């Protein structure tokens, strides 16, 4: 419906489907106007029908003249006292109608519309709707809507649609054009939603909804029409997601990876601590999935430091214990290296064969590793996403773990497929995602949440300071370093690579000669080779470096429990989610963490954001603040999620409908898994058109 598919290259005005008629053949449009409309995405009759108003002018606000305000649309009721028509010096005609209303006069004015004069007679009772403006002693309305009222008639005005415009077309022209299209063509629209659902959800049928959304009789009808289209949009997505999941469930082509008490015992014995109750619960959910021949699609969500890695390691070892391979993909090389190191430590005495796969390996070594993976001589592979996805062929891949996924892509999950078998997927994120959003963006994903942190964590104290407080912070910083702690200094990433390096390097030099003279400093930035980074991280982890100066590459995942000090320079340059991640670096052990944000920014928005950040360490609260400040799109990178954007629905605002749509979609798919019944043909067509490609649904039915 909303993104009509490809059009035939030659279309004649007599083409069968009137809804596909090119807009230029609609009466009163023509080729020139059609070009203008094309800029708004209106190329066919159908495009025009679904070009919904941006907003409505409320004409129900009838005011006494002496209470009018400039700038907003209002209505006045009065009696015509005078009608005049003049020709200005430039040749322009002006029609003026003087209306005596309650508390004063309003003059309605039209330029270049001499026929207006004939509409009015003295003594008529009228209502005028428009934006009033002061002209000397009198209020004026230019090109208002005027309705002639009977003697006793109560004025009642329907809301007026307001459309997005582009150069060359005016609001009234747009209204007229769309009004005509609706009158002439809305009768050809076919219903998409099953009748049962229309009735259950009390939704307007499509023809009525299109009519009401463009020419509503009142506010209530606008709401009813909008609700129908919001629901439809959400429902079509949920049906697509349900179909996808249904296909997976019924295809049963994933390996059954079974947990025995012995395997469980052997895995747990490797961990130097007991799992938290939340970790145990997540593990149980994951195991239940992996024991099924249906591919697991699970999102493991837990705030920074909640201990997601061990849960993932557990799952990977379960795969290996069942003679399958497991891959862990990290967003950065540093993080991949850290994960590999963690796994290495845990598996020190085990025979599990593992490898790290990152860029910059000597070609020979690399091709040998790839061969070993392909032949099943390696059990566990840790690497960056790009490399594993693009280059590696597995022998018997049983599980894929994707760590710290911020930009969620539906497609990404489909990328790795074994020969015949489909691996189980576990996606981990610290980004708290409201449930309805998770369901919308990944309706085919199950959710596990780590809602507690490991025991003994101390809260982080956060300070917001201006530059003049620096020496105090550094004094404190030195004191903590002398007590044996370690710290980070993060400078914002600057676009140009050279500057990025320089700012890290400059900060490093400044601190090593100044405030932190005598301490062991290290730096890390994008220009260093993998091995150099590796060495610095290892030195930091093992305490040979006291302070690590870096760009935000340490933002995600880095886990050095003894590091408790975080300095963030130019904090206004970081988003809330990023700041939260950075602060998460210093709350990982038994010592309390301290985080100091330096910012001299005076912009009210940055101040608000930074203050909000200091007020809570709860990731969910911060995410909510972030949603409120920036909208969910930013945070979730909706552009990246790979699905067509919504036209009218808003997953936060419409979360109730998301849930309803999801429930209805599942009921429908269970009843008619291929959408093969004739009454679902139209819906099926719609679902495939919108999501067939992005969700690889082409094989439905
Ligand atoms: P995140 O969820 O941010 O990825 P990590 O998995 O890196 O968190 O874990 C953070 C730290 O907590 C690590 O040092 C890890 O060893 C430790 N940890 C994880 N689980 C537990 C636990 N159950 N008890 C104690 N420490 C734990
Ligand atoms: Mg992590």
């Amino acid at each position: 419906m909303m993104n009509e598919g490809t059009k035939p290259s030659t279309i004649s005005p007599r083409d069968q489907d009137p809804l596909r008629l090119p807009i230029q053949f609609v009466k009163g449009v023509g080729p020139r106007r059609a070009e203008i409309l094309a800029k708004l995405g209106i190329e066919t009759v159908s495009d025009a029908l679904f070009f919904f108003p941006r907003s409505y002018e409320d004409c129900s606000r009838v005011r006494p003249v002496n209470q009018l305000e400039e700038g907003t649309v209002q209505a006045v009721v009065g009696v015509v006292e005078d009608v005049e028509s003049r020709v200005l010096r430039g040749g322009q005609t002006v029609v003026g109608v003087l209306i005596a209303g309650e508390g004063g006069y309003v003059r309605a004015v039209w330029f270049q519309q001499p026929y207006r004069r004939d509409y009015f007679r003295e003594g008529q009772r009228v209502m005028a709707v428009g934006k009033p403006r002061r002209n000397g002693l009198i209020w004026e309305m230019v090109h208002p809507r005027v309705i002639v009222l009977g003697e006793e008639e109560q004025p009642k005005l329907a809301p007026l649609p307001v459309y997005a415009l582009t150069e060359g077309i005016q609001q009234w022209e747009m209204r007229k054009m769309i009004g005509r299209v609706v009158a002439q063509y809305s009768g050809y629209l076919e219903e998409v939603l099953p009748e049962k659902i229309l009735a259950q959800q009390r939704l307007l049928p499509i023809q009525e909804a299109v009519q009401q959304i463009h020419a509503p009789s009142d506010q209530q009808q606008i709401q009813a029409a909008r609700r129908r289209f919001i629901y439809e949009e959400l429902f079509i997505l949920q049906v697509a997601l349900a179909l996808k999941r249904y296909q997976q469930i019924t295809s049963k082509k994933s390996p059954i990876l079974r947990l025995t008490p012995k395997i469980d015992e052997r895995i747990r014995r490797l961990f130097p601590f007991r799992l938290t109750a939340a970790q145990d619960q997540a593990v149980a959910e994951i195991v239940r999935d992996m024991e099924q021949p249906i591919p697991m699609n699970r999102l493991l969500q837990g705030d920074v430091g909640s201990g997601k890695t061990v849960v993932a390691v557990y799952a990977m070892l379960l795969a290996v214990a069942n003679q399958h391979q497991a891959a862990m993909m990290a967003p950065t090389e540093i993080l991949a290296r850290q994960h590999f190191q963690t796994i290495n430590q845990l598996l020190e005495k085990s025979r599990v064969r593992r490898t790290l796969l990152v860029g910059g390996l000597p070609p020979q070594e690399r091709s040998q590793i790839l061969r070993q993976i392909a032949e099943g001589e390696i059990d566990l592979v840790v690497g960056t996403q790009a490399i594993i996805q693009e280059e590696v062929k597995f022998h018997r891949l049983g599980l894929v773990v994707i760590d710290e996924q911020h930009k969620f892509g539906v497609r990404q999950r489909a990328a790795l497929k074994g020969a015949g078998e489909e691996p189980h997927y576990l996606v981990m994120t610290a980004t708290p995602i409201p449930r309805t959003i998770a369901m919308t963006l990944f309706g085919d994903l199950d959710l596990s949440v780590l809602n507690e942190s490991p025991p003994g964590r101390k809260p982080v104290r956060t300070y917001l300071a201006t530059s003049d407080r620096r020496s105090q912070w550094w004094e404190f910083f030195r004191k903590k370093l002398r007590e044996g702690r370690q710290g980070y200094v993060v400078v914002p990433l600057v676009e140009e690579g050279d500057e990025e390096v320089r700012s890290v390097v400059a900060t490093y030099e400044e601190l090593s000669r100044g405030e932190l003279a005598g301490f062991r400093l290290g730096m890390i930035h994008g220009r260093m080779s993998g091995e150099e980074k590796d060495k610095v991280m290892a030195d930091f982890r093992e305490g040979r470096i006291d302070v690590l100066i870096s760009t935000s590459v340490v933002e995600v995942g880095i886990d050095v429990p003894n590091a408790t000090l975080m300095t963030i320079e130019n904090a206004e340059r970081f988003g809330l989610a990023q700041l939260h991640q950075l602060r998460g670096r210093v709350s990982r052990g038994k010592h309390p963490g301290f985080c100091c944000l330096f910012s001299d920014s005076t912009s009210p928005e940055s101040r608000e954001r930074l203050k909000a950040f200091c007020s809570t360490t709860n990731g969910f609260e911060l995410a909510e603040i972030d949603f409120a400040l920036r909208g969910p799109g930013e945070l979730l990178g909706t552009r990246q999620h790979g699905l067509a954007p919504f036209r009218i629905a808003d997953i936060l605002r419409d979360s109730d409908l998301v849930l309803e749509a999801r429930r209805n979609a599942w009921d429908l798919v269970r009843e008619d898994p291929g959408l093969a019944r004739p009454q679902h043909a139209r819906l099926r067509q719609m679902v495939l058109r919108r999501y067939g490609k992005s969700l690889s649904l082409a094989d439905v039915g």
Side-chain angles (χ1 to χ4, degrees):
M1 164 192 75
M2 313 243 158
N3 289 335
E4 293 285 349
T6 47
K7 299 178 181 69
S9 52
T10 52
I11 319 169
S12 80
R14 278 179 300 278
D15 214 333
Q16 337 56 340
D17 183 356
L19 297 176
R20 297 234 165 196
L21 185 71
I23 197 73
Q24 82 169 87
F25 300 116
V26 168
K27 200 166 155 251
V29 177
R32 266 193 38 222
R33 172 132 308 159
E35 263 173 50
I36 296 170
L37 292 171
K39 286 189 208 144
L40 293 166
I42 304 177
E43 295 183 2
T44 63
V45 161
S46 160
D47 293 339
L49 290 175
F50 292 104
F51 191 79
F52 295 157
R54 198 160 38 85
S55 60
Y56 297 85
E57 278 176 7
D58 180 4
C59 302
S60 58
R61 300 206 295 164
V62 179
R63 297 244 174 125
V65 177
N66 53 12
Q67 286 176 28
L68 289 175
E69 297 164 14
E70 290 214 353
T72 63
V73 173
Q74 295 145 83
V76 291
V77 173
V79 175
V80 173
E81 274 205 1
D82 187 35
V83 185
E84 56 152 10
S85 171
R86 286 188 292 140
V87 179
L88 299 181
R89 216 175 296 145
Q92 224 187 12
T93 18
V94 187
V95 173
V97 174
L98 190 66
I99 302 164
E102 193 188 332
Y105 285 94
V106 173
R107 190 203 309 276
V109 181
W110 287 270
F111 297 100
Q112 293 297 63
Q113 298 181 13
Y115 53 87
R116 289 279 175 191
R117 191 205 157 104
D118 305 329
Y119 292 178
F120 301 104
R121 272 176 290 104
E122 283 173 28
Q124 264 173 340
R125 213 169 144 251
V126 295
M127 171 154 101
V129 187
K131 277 187 193 166
R133 70 167 194 226
R134 267 284 185 204
N135 188 356
L137 289 178
I138 210 170
W139 285 99
E140 242 177 33
M141 283 186 184
V142 176
H143 294 193
R145 263 218 305 171
V146 177
I147 287 189
V148 178
L149 301 170
E151 275 297 304
E152 297 288 304
E153 192 182 342
Q154 278 306 321
K156 177 178 172 288
L157 262 194
L160 269 181
V162 178
Y163 295 99
L165 297 175
T166 186
E167 210 181 302
I169 187 161
Q170 301 205 16
Q171 195 57 251
W172 67 270
E173 297 172 303
M174 194 72 167
R175 280 180 190 146
K176 200 162 138 196
M177 190 276 292
I178 291 190
R180 183 175 278 159
V181 172
V182 170
Q184 221 172 326
Y185 295 98
S186 59
Y188 292 104
L189 288 166
E190 281 173 59
E191 187 54 74
V192 183
L193 298 175
E195 252 177 57
K196 205 167 112 188
I197 287 176
L198 283 180
Q200 251 179 24
Q201 295 290 344
R202 294 162 203 257
L203 298 171
L204 290 185
I206 190 156
Q207 297 188 4
E208 206 181 324
V210 163
Q211 285 151 14
Q212 286 296 341
I213 209 160
H214 291 292
S217 37
D218 54 39
Q219 289 293 336
Q220 240 172 335
Q221 289 304 313
I222 296 176
Q223 289 320 315
R226 283 180 53 85
R227 183 164 167 275
R228 184 231 138 87
F229 289 115
I230 291 170
Y231 179 89
E232 177 179 318
E233 211 168 25
L234 296 170
F235 180 71
I236 287 173
L237 172 60
Q238 293 300 336
V239 169
L241 292 167
L243 283 173
K244 173 86 184 160
R245 190 63 185 143
Y246 195 88
Q247 284 176 359
Q248 288 175 334
I249 289 174
T250 48
S251 70
K252 304 204 177 181
K253 47 187 180 188
S254 288
I256 295 178
L257 305 172
R258 228 182 268 294
L259 182 71
T260 61
K262 193 165 147 219
I263 295 175
D264 179 65
E265 202 257 297
R266 267 176 24 212
I267 296 175
R268 283 175 196 268
R269 206 168 47 199
L270 298 171
F271 301 143
F273 40 67
R274 287 179 59 128
L275 297 192
T276 64
Q279 285 169 326
D280 271 332
Q281 161 100 23
V283 162
E285 287 162 358
I286 289 165
V287 168
R288 208 165 51 220
D289 288 355
M290 290 173 66
E291 288 187 326
Q292 298 296 316
I294 301 160
M296 167 167 77
N297 253 333
R298 191 166 280 280
L299 180 66
L300 175 60
Q301 186 183 300
D303 207 347
V304 283
S306 58
K308 295 182 285 293
T309 316
V310 253
V311 175
V313 170
Y314 188 108
M316 292 201 287
L317 293 175
L318 174 58
V320 174
N322 282 272
Q323 288 78 47
H324 276 75
Q325 292 169 303
M328 185 181 224
M329 315 205 280
T332 64
E333 190 179 316
I334 295 181
L335 201 48
R337 287 171 183 277
Q338 174 185 286
H339 282 323
F340 188 63
Q341 163 120 18
T342 305
I343 287 171
N344 259 342
Q345 273 166 5
L346 294 176
L347 299 182
E348 211 181 324
K349 297 199 182 79
S350 118
R351 278 170 306 158
V352 174
R353 299 159 299 177
R354 56 219 180 241
T355 192
L356 174 67
L357 196 61
V358 290
L361 292 175
Q364 232 177 336
E365 193 178 329
R366 181 181 194 78
S367 62
Q368 181 177 345
I369 292 179
L370 291 177
R371 184 191 58 75
Q372 287 177 317
I373 297 172
E375 288 174 10
E377 290 164 18
I378 282 176
D379 306 306
L380 282 186
V381 184
V382 179
T384 55
Q385 213 148 314
I387 290 176
I388 293 185
Q389 248 165 8
E390 283 153 30
E391 299 181 25
V392 188
K393 289 230 162 25
F394 287 88
H395 177 62
R396 284 184 91 188
L397 183 59
L399 172 72
V400 177
V401 175
I402 307 177
D403 188 25
E404 296 296 355
Q405 185 88 332
H406 298 282
K407 302 271 163 49
F408 299 89
V410 173
R411 279 158 168 276
Q412 262 159 337
R413 272 178 285 140
L416 270 182
K417 274 195 179 151
E421 280 185 337
E422 211 180 309
H424 297 281
Y425 272 86
L426 179 63
V427 180
M428 306 199 285
T429 182
T431 309
I433 304 163
R435 216 178 151 67
T436 52
I437 293 185
M439 278 179 184
T440 310
L441 296 187
F442 349 95
D444 56 340
L445 217 59
D446 298 308
L447 192 63
S448 290
V449 181
L450 297 185
N451 54 5
E452 65 178 324
S453 25
R457 288 281 162 79
K458 299 281 191 314
V460 181
R461 253 183 250 155
T462 312
Y463 310 96
L464 175 58
T466 43
S467 296
D468 53 325
R469 307 284 296 278
R470 271 173 194 285
S471 56
Q472 275 165 281
W473 169 250
W474 290 122
E475 192 177 321
F476 176 78
F477 203 98
R478 288 191 297 267
K479 176 170 158 263
K480 288 288 165 190
L481 292 179
R482 274 186 229 107
E483 287 170 16
R485 303 287 79 73
Q486 291 164 282
Y488 301 87
V489 180
V490 173
V491 300
L493 185 117
V494 179
E495 294 286 88
E496 294 82 356
D498 291 311
E499 276 188 51
E500 173 191 329
V501 176
R502 229 183 300 131
S503 56
V504 173
V505 175
T507 310
Y508 174 89
E509 279 171 1
E510 195 186 304
L511 288 173
S512 57
R513 269 184 268 123
E515 298 281 6
L516 299 181
F519 291 97
R520 297 165 301 175
L521 309 191
M523 60 178 155
I524 202 158
H525 55 71
R527 285 297 185 82
M528 293 161 62
S529 75
E531 265 152 49
E532 286 171 310
K533 284 187 216 165
D534 217 10
K535 179 165 184 312
V536 175
M537 281 316 299
D539 284 346
F540 188 58
R541 191 175 301 116
E542 281 147 36
R544 290 187 293 272
I545 286 177
D546 302 309
V547 182
L548 189 61
I549 293 141
S550 83
T551 58
S552 61
V553 288
V554 296
E555 171 185 339
V556 160
I558 297 300
D559 181 40
V560 179
N562 188 49
T564 59
L565 301 159
M566 172 62 72
T567 316
I568 302 173
E569 300 282 359
N570 294 104
E572 73 281 354
R573 302 269 207 108
F574 296 91
L576 269 182
Q578 242 182 335
L579 290 172
H580 184 59
Q581 282 284 350
L582 287 171
R583 181 166 57 187
R585 297 313 113 219
V586 296
S587 61
R588 327 205 113 229
K590 52 187 192 298
H591 303 289
F594 302 90
C595 175
C596 184
L597 314 177
F598 283 108
S599 175
D600 293 326
S601 163
T602 51
S603 126
E605 289 126 79
S606 336
R607 299 311 292 179
E608 187 185 355
R609 191 173 69 224
L610 296 178
K611 279 201 186 122
F613 179 69
C614 296
S615 71
T616 177
T617 54
N618 181 315
F620 271 93
E621 273 174 41
L622 282 171
E624 263 165 37
I625 296 171
D626 218 11
F627 283 145
L629 291 177
R630 298 197 296 165
E634 286 265 340
L635 190 60
L636 296 171
T638 36
R639 286 194 176 283
Q640 280 93 340
H641 71 53
L643 297 176
F646 290 131
R647 276 266 185 115
I648 184 170
D650 173 329
I651 39 183
L652 280 182
R653 182 197 62 201
D654 304 322
S655 57
D656 291 353
L657 279 186
V658 173
L659 299 180
E660 294 279 301
R662 180 176 163 90
R663 197 167 47 80
N664 294 157
W666 269 100
D667 287 347
L668 179 86
V669 168
R670 264 186 226 109
E671 238 179 78
D672 183 12
L675 300 189
R677 293 187 196 159
Q679 67 266 38
H680 297 149
R682 195 76 194 117
L683 175 66
R684 180 166 177 275
Q685 191 188 350
M686 229 37 137
V687 167
L688 288 180
R689 195 182 286 164
R690 291 215 88 195
Y691 297 109
K693 255 220 195 101
S694 48
L695 291 176
S696 357
L697 281 174
D699 44 343
V700 170

